[in-house]
CSV table of all heavy atoms in Angstrom, one decimal:
chain,number,residue,atom,x,y,z
A,1,VAL,N,6.7,-14.9,3.8
A,1,VAL,CA,5.7,-15.6,4.6
A,1,VAL,C,5.2,-16.8,3.8
A,1,VAL,O,5.2,-16.7,2.5
A,1,VAL,CB,4.6,-14.6,4.9
A,1,VAL,CG1,3.8,-14.1,3.7
A,1,VAL,CG2,3.6,-15.3,6.0
A,2,GLN,N,4.7,-17.8,4.4
A,2,GLN,CA,4.2,-19.0,3.8
A,2,GLN,C,2.7,-18.7,3.4
A,2,GLN,O,2.0,-17.9,4.0
A,2,GLN,CB,4.2,-20.2,4.7
A,2,GLN,CG,5.6,-20.8,4.8
A,2,GLN,CD,5.6,-22.1,5.6
A,2,GLN,OE1,4.7,-22.4,6.3
A,2,GLN,NE2,6.6,-23.0,5.3
A,3,ALA,N,2.3,-19.4,2.3
A,3,ALA,CA,0.8,-19.2,1.9
A,3,ALA,C,-0.1,-19.5,3.1
A,3,ALA,O,0.2,-20.5,3.9
A,3,ALA,CB,0.6,-20.2,0.8
A,4,GLY,N,-1.1,-18.7,3.3
A,4,GLY,CA,-2.0,-18.8,4.4
A,4,GLY,C,-1.6,-17.9,5.6
A,4,GLY,O,-2.5,-17.8,6.5
A,5,GLY,N,-0.5,-17.4,5.5
A,5,GLY,CA,0.0,-16.6,6.6
A,5,GLY,C,-0.5,-15.1,6.5
A,5,GLY,O,-1.3,-14.8,5.7
A,6,SER,N,0.0,-14.3,7.5
A,6,SER,CA,-0.4,-12.9,7.5
A,6,SER,C,0.8,-12.0,7.7
A,6,SER,O,1.9,-12.4,8.2
A,6,SER,CB,-1.3,-12.7,8.8
A,6,SER,OG,-2.5,-13.4,8.7
A,7,LEU,N,0.7,-10.8,7.2
A,7,LEU,CA,1.6,-9.7,7.4
A,7,LEU,C,0.9,-8.4,7.6
A,7,LEU,O,-0.2,-8.2,7.0
A,7,LEU,CB,2.5,-9.6,6.1
A,7,LEU,CG,3.7,-10.5,6.0
A,7,LEU,CD1,4.4,-10.2,4.7
A,7,LEU,CD2,4.7,-10.4,7.1
A,8,ARG,N,1.5,-7.5,8.2
A,8,ARG,CA,1.0,-6.1,8.3
A,8,ARG,C,2.0,-5.1,7.8
A,8,ARG,O,3.1,-5.0,8.4
A,8,ARG,CB,0.5,-5.8,9.8
A,8,ARG,CG,-0.2,-4.4,9.8
A,8,ARG,CD,-0.7,-4.1,11.2
A,8,ARG,NE,0.4,-3.5,12.0
A,8,ARG,CZ,0.2,-2.8,13.1
A,8,ARG,NH1,-1.1,-2.5,13.5
A,8,ARG,NH2,1.2,-2.3,13.8
A,9,LEU,N,1.6,-4.4,6.8
A,9,LEU,CA,2.5,-3.4,6.3
A,9,LEU,C,2.1,-2.0,7.0
A,9,LEU,O,0.9,-1.8,7.3
A,9,LEU,CB,2.3,-3.2,4.8
A,9,LEU,CG,2.5,-4.5,4.0
A,9,LEU,CD1,2.4,-4.2,2.5
A,9,LEU,CD2,3.8,-5.1,4.3
A,10,SER,N,3.1,-1.2,7.2
A,10,SER,CA,2.8,0.1,7.7
A,10,SER,C,3.4,1.2,6.7
A,10,SER,O,4.4,1.0,6.0
A,10,SER,CB,3.6,0.3,9.0
A,10,SER,OG,3.1,-0.6,10.0
A,11,CYS,N,2.7,2.3,6.7
A,11,CYS,CA,3.2,3.5,5.9
A,11,CYS,C,3.1,4.7,6.8
A,11,CYS,O,2.0,5.1,7.1
A,11,CYS,CB,2.3,3.6,4.6
A,11,CYS,SG,2.7,5.2,3.7
A,12,ALA,N,4.2,5.2,7.1
A,12,ALA,CA,4.3,6.5,7.9
A,12,ALA,C,4.4,7.7,7.0
A,12,ALA,O,5.3,7.7,6.1
A,12,ALA,CB,5.5,6.4,8.9
A,13,ALA,N,3.6,8.6,7.2
A,13,ALA,CA,3.5,9.8,6.4
A,13,ALA,C,4.0,11.0,7.1
A,13,ALA,O,3.6,11.2,8.3
A,13,ALA,CB,2.1,10.0,5.8
A,14,SER,N,4.8,11.8,6.5
A,14,SER,CA,5.2,13.1,7.1
A,14,SER,C,4.3,14.2,6.6
A,14,SER,O,3.5,14.0,5.7
A,14,SER,CB,6.7,13.4,6.7
A,14,SER,OG,6.7,13.7,5.3
A,15,GLY,N,4.3,15.3,7.3
A,15,GLY,CA,3.5,16.4,6.8
A,15,GLY,C,2.2,16.5,7.5
A,15,GLY,O,1.7,15.5,8.1
A,16,SER,N,1.5,17.6,7.4
A,16,SER,CA,0.2,17.8,8.1
A,16,SER,C,-1.0,17.4,7.2
A,16,SER,O,-2.1,17.6,7.7
A,16,SER,CB,0.1,19.2,8.5
A,16,SER,OG,0.2,20.1,7.4
A,17,ILE,N,-0.7,16.9,6.1
A,17,ILE,CA,-1.9,16.6,5.2
A,17,ILE,C,-2.6,15.3,5.4
A,17,ILE,O,-3.6,15.0,4.9
A,17,ILE,CB,-1.4,16.7,3.7
A,17,ILE,CG1,-0.4,15.5,3.5
A,17,ILE,CG2,-0.8,18.0,3.4
A,17,ILE,CD1,-0.8,14.6,2.4
A,18,PHE,N,-1.9,14.5,6.2
A,18,PHE,CA,-2.4,13.1,6.3
A,18,PHE,C,-3.8,13.0,6.7
A,18,PHE,O,-4.6,12.2,6.1
A,18,PHE,CB,-1.5,12.3,7.4
A,18,PHE,CG,-1.8,10.9,7.5
A,18,PHE,CD1,-1.4,9.9,6.6
A,18,PHE,CD2,-2.7,10.5,8.6
A,18,PHE,CE1,-1.7,8.6,6.8
A,18,PHE,CE2,-3.0,9.2,8.7
A,18,PHE,CZ,-2.5,8.2,7.8
A,19,ASN,N,-4.3,13.7,7.7
A,19,ASN,CA,-5.6,13.5,8.2
A,19,ASN,C,-6.7,13.9,7.2
A,19,ASN,O,-7.8,13.4,7.3
A,19,ASN,CB,-5.8,14.3,9.5
A,19,ASN,CG,-5.0,13.8,10.7
A,19,ASN,OD1,-4.3,12.8,10.5
A,19,ASN,ND2,-5.0,14.5,11.8
A,20,ASN,N,-6.4,14.7,6.2
A,20,ASN,CA,-7.4,15.1,5.3
A,20,ASN,C,-7.4,14.5,3.9
A,20,ASN,O,-8.1,14.9,3.0
A,20,ASN,CB,-7.2,16.6,5.1
A,20,ASN,CG,-7.3,17.4,6.4
A,20,ASN,OD1,-8.2,17.2,7.2
A,20,ASN,ND2,-6.4,18.4,6.6
A,21,LYS,N,-6.5,13.4,3.8
A,21,LYS,CA,-6.3,12.9,2.5
A,21,LYS,C,-6.6,11.3,2.5
A,21,LYS,O,-6.4,10.6,3.5
A,21,LYS,CB,-4.9,13.1,2.0
A,21,LYS,CG,-4.6,14.5,1.8
A,21,LYS,CD,-5.4,15.1,0.7
A,21,LYS,CE,-5.2,16.6,0.6
A,21,LYS,NZ,-6.1,17.3,-0.4
A,22,ALA,N,-7.2,10.9,1.4
A,22,ALA,CA,-7.3,9.5,1.2
A,22,ALA,C,-5.9,8.9,0.9
A,22,ALA,O,-5.0,9.5,0.4
A,22,ALA,CB,-8.1,9.2,-0.1
A,23,MET,N,-5.7,7.7,1.4
A,23,MET,CA,-4.4,6.9,1.3
A,23,MET,C,-4.7,5.6,0.6
A,23,MET,O,-5.7,5.0,0.7
A,23,MET,CB,-3.8,6.7,2.7
A,23,MET,CG,-3.6,7.9,3.5
A,23,MET,SD,-2.3,9.0,2.9
A,23,MET,CE,-0.8,7.9,2.9
A,24,ASP,N,-3.7,5.2,-0.2
A,24,ASP,CA,-3.8,4.0,-1.0
A,24,ASP,C,-2.6,3.1,-0.8
A,24,ASP,O,-1.5,3.5,-0.5
A,24,ASP,CB,-3.9,4.3,-2.5
A,24,ASP,CG,-4.8,5.5,-2.8
A,24,ASP,OD1,-6.0,5.3,-2.7
A,24,ASP,OD2,-4.3,6.5,-3.2
A,25,TRP,N,-2.9,1.8,-1.0
A,25,TRP,CA,-1.8,0.9,-1.2
A,25,TRP,C,-1.9,0.3,-2.6
A,25,TRP,O,-3.0,-0.1,-3.1
A,25,TRP,CB,-1.9,-0.3,-0.2
A,25,TRP,CG,-1.5,0.0,1.2
A,25,TRP,CD1,-2.2,0.4,2.2
A,25,TRP,CD2,-0.1,0.0,1.7
A,25,TRP,NE1,-1.5,0.6,3.3
A,25,TRP,CE2,-0.2,0.3,3.0
A,25,TRP,CE3,1.1,-0.3,1.1
A,25,TRP,CZ2,1.0,0.4,3.8
A,25,TRP,CZ3,2.3,-0.2,1.9
A,25,TRP,CH2,2.2,0.1,3.2
A,26,TYR,N,-0.8,0.3,-3.3
A,26,TYR,CA,-0.7,-0.3,-4.6
A,26,TYR,C,0.3,-1.5,-4.5
A,26,TYR,O,1.1,-1.5,-3.5
A,26,TYR,CB,-0.1,0.7,-5.6
A,26,TYR,CG,-1.1,1.7,-6.1
A,26,TYR,CD1,-1.5,2.8,-5.4
A,26,TYR,CD2,-1.6,1.6,-7.4
A,26,TYR,CE1,-2.5,3.7,-5.9
A,26,TYR,CE2,-2.5,2.5,-8.0
A,26,TYR,CZ,-2.9,3.6,-7.1
A,26,TYR,OH,-3.8,4.5,-7.7
A,27,ARG,N,0.4,-2.3,-5.5
A,27,ARG,CA,1.4,-3.3,-5.6
A,27,ARG,C,1.8,-3.6,-7.1
A,27,ARG,O,1.0,-3.3,-8.0
A,27,ARG,CB,0.9,-4.7,-4.9
A,27,ARG,CG,-0.2,-5.4,-5.7
A,27,ARG,CD,-0.7,-6.6,-4.9
A,27,ARG,NE,-1.7,-7.3,-5.6
A,27,ARG,CZ,-2.4,-8.3,-5.0
A,27,ARG,NH1,-2.1,-8.8,-3.8
A,27,ARG,NH2,-3.3,-9.0,-5.8
A,28,GLN,N,3.0,-4.1,-7.2
A,28,GLN,CA,3.5,-4.4,-8.5
A,28,GLN,C,4.3,-5.7,-8.5
A,28,GLN,O,5.3,-5.8,-7.8
A,28,GLN,CB,4.4,-3.2,-9.0
A,28,GLN,CG,4.8,-3.4,-10.5
A,28,GLN,CD,5.4,-2.2,-11.1
A,28,GLN,OE1,5.8,-1.3,-10.4
A,28,GLN,NE2,5.4,-2.1,-12.4
A,29,ALA,N,3.8,-6.7,-9.2
A,29,ALA,CA,4.4,-7.9,-9.3
A,29,ALA,C,5.4,-7.9,-10.4
A,29,ALA,O,5.2,-7.1,-11.3
A,29,ALA,CB,3.4,-9.1,-9.5
A,30,PRO,N,6.4,-8.8,-10.4
A,30,PRO,CA,7.4,-8.8,-11.5
A,30,PRO,C,6.7,-9.0,-12.9
A,30,PRO,O,5.9,-9.8,-13.0
A,30,PRO,CB,8.3,-10.0,-11.2
A,30,PRO,CG,8.2,-10.1,-9.7
A,30,PRO,CD,6.7,-9.7,-9.4
A,31,GLY,N,7.0,-8.1,-13.8
A,31,GLY,CA,6.5,-8.2,-15.2
A,31,GLY,C,5.1,-7.7,-15.3
A,31,GLY,O,4.5,-7.9,-16.4
A,32,LYS,N,4.5,-7.2,-14.2
A,32,LYS,CA,3.1,-6.7,-14.3
A,32,LYS,C,3.0,-5.2,-14.0
A,32,LYS,O,3.9,-4.6,-13.4
A,32,LYS,CB,2.3,-7.5,-13.3
A,32,LYS,CG,2.2,-9.0,-13.7
A,32,LYS,CD,1.1,-9.7,-12.8
A,32,LYS,CE,1.0,-11.1,-13.2
A,32,LYS,NZ,0.0,-11.8,-12.3
A,33,GLN,N,1.9,-4.7,-14.4
A,33,GLN,CA,1.7,-3.3,-14.1
A,33,GLN,C,1.3,-3.1,-12.6
A,33,GLN,O,0.7,-4.0,-11.9
A,33,GLN,CB,0.5,-2.7,-14.9
A,33,GLN,CG,0.9,-2.6,-16.4
A,33,GLN,CD,-0.3,-1.9,-17.2
A,33,GLN,OE1,-1.4,-2.0,-16.9
A,33,GLN,NE2,0.1,-1.2,-18.2
A,34,ARG,N,1.5,-1.9,-12.1
A,34,ARG,CA,1.2,-1.5,-10.8
A,34,ARG,C,-0.3,-1.5,-10.7
A,34,ARG,O,-1.0,-0.9,-11.6
A,34,ARG,CB,1.8,-0.2,-10.4
A,34,ARG,CG,1.7,0.1,-8.9
A,34,ARG,CD,2.5,1.4,-8.5
A,34,ARG,NE,4.0,1.2,-8.8
A,34,ARG,CZ,4.9,2.0,-8.3
A,34,ARG,NH1,4.6,3.1,-7.7
A,34,ARG,NH2,6.2,1.8,-8.6
A,35,GLU,N,-0.9,-2.0,-9.6
A,35,GLU,CA,-2.3,-2.1,-9.4
A,35,GLU,C,-2.7,-1.6,-8.1
A,35,GLU,O,-2.0,-1.8,-7.1
A,35,GLU,CB,-2.8,-3.5,-9.6
A,35,GLU,CG,-2.3,-4.5,-8.6
A,35,GLU,CD,-3.0,-5.9,-8.7
A,35,GLU,OE1,-4.0,-6.0,-9.5
A,35,GLU,OE2,-2.6,-6.8,-8.0
A,36,LEU,N,-3.9,-1.0,-8.0
A,36,LEU,CA,-4.5,-0.5,-6.8
A,36,LEU,C,-5.0,-1.6,-5.9
A,36,LEU,O,-5.8,-2.5,-6.4
A,36,LEU,CB,-5.6,0.5,-7.1
A,36,LEU,CG,-6.3,1.1,-5.8
A,36,LEU,CD1,-5.4,1.9,-5.0
A,36,LEU,CD2,-7.5,2.0,-6.3
A,37,VAL,N,-4.6,-1.7,-4.7
A,37,VAL,CA,-5.0,-2.8,-3.8
A,37,VAL,C,-6.1,-2.3,-2.9
A,37,VAL,O,-7.1,-3.0,-2.7
A,37,VAL,CB,-3.8,-3.3,-3.0
A,37,VAL,CG1,-4.2,-4.4,-2.0
A,37,VAL,CG2,-2.7,-3.9,-3.9
């Protein structure tokens, strides 16, 4: 995507735990540590 644009990521979870748990998105750029988003 070009700078200024938008994207929507999806994460589908299996199992029955989903409704009771916190969910996170992390990201990792090349050469960098994974970070909580």
Side-chain angles (χ1 to χ4, degrees):
V1 64
Q2 287 188 333
S6 298
L7 279 176
R8 189 178 79 159
L9 307 183
S10 299
C11 171
S14 66
S16 60
I17 62 123
F18 181 83
N19 290 358
N20 298 319
K21 295 299 176 184
M23 302 292 297
D24 314 290
W25 283 98
Y26 282 75
R27 68 185 180 187
Q28 187 166 18
K32 294 188 177 181
Q33 289 188 329
R34 192 171 295 191
E35 63 172 351
L36 178 62
V37 175

